Each structure stands twice: as C-alpha cells, then as structure tokens.
Amino acid sequence: MAQKYDVTEAAAAQKRYCEENEIPQFAPANGWCSACGRNIYEPYTYRGREEDTRGISVDAAGKRLITSCPHCNTTFCD
C-alpha cells in the first residue's frame, strides 16, 4: 500500500497524537522546517536516489512523536 502524504492531515494527526499521549509537540504546526525550508509532511525524492523518498506520511504522523526534520535532520527539540 502506498504512503499517503497530505500536509494538513499529517499535521492534524501529529497534533492529535501529542494530545492523546499528553506529550509536547515539537514538530512545527504547519510542517515547515525553519532550517531547510521544506515541509516535513511532503515527500521529496532526491535526484539520483529514486529509492530514497523522505517525508512523514499521514499514517506515520499519527503513530509517533516527530522530533526532527526528515529532510535535513535538524532537531526540533532544542
């Protein structure tokens, strides 16, 4: 099954995950990384590495705490 990527749904899923588990939300509410300028909830495939697509799917955002950017690895916890 293919991963579903949707910025609005993934951001809502992360917010809901944090509220339900009573933990702080570290990921930016709108998904935009201030370090690299990419949205953490959008898939990016890097040229020459087609098998390496990075981004946080709706499903993943609802199942784990997001603490860093999947594109540049900058932490959101500092």
Side-chain angles (χ1 to χ4, degrees), residues 53-66:
T53 298
R54 297 181 186 183
I56 301 170
S57 67
V58 173
D59 187 51
K63 291 184 176 178
R64 66 178 177 89
L65 179 63
I66 298 168

Side-chain angles (χ1 to χ4, degrees), residues 6-78:
D6 182 282
V7 173
T8 304
E9 288 183 35
Q14 179 65 180
K15 181 178 180 182
R16 190 170 43 256
Y17 176 83
C18 291
E19 288 172 351
E20 289 172 357
N21 291 283
E22 298 179 353
I23 52 179
Q25 181 175 341
F26 295 110
N30 62 5
W32 291 102
C33 176
S34 61
C36 70
R38 294 183 178 116
N39 195 297
I40 64 173
Y41 302 121
E42 290 181 349
Y44 288 88
T45 301
Y46 296 89
R47 198 175 326 163
R49 298 187 335 213
E50 282 69 27
E51 71 285 347
D52 186 17
T53 298
R54 297 181 186 183
I56 301 170
S57 67
V58 173
D59 187 51
K63 291 184 176 178
R64 66 178 177 89
L65 179 63
I66 298 168
T67 59
S68 64
C69 177
H71 307 296
C72 70
N73 298 316
T74 296
T75 182
F76 301 132
C77 299
D78 289 341

Side-chain angles (χ1 to χ4, degrees), residues 1-4 59:
M1 185 173 141
Q3 295 287 327
K4 178 181 180 184
D59 187 51

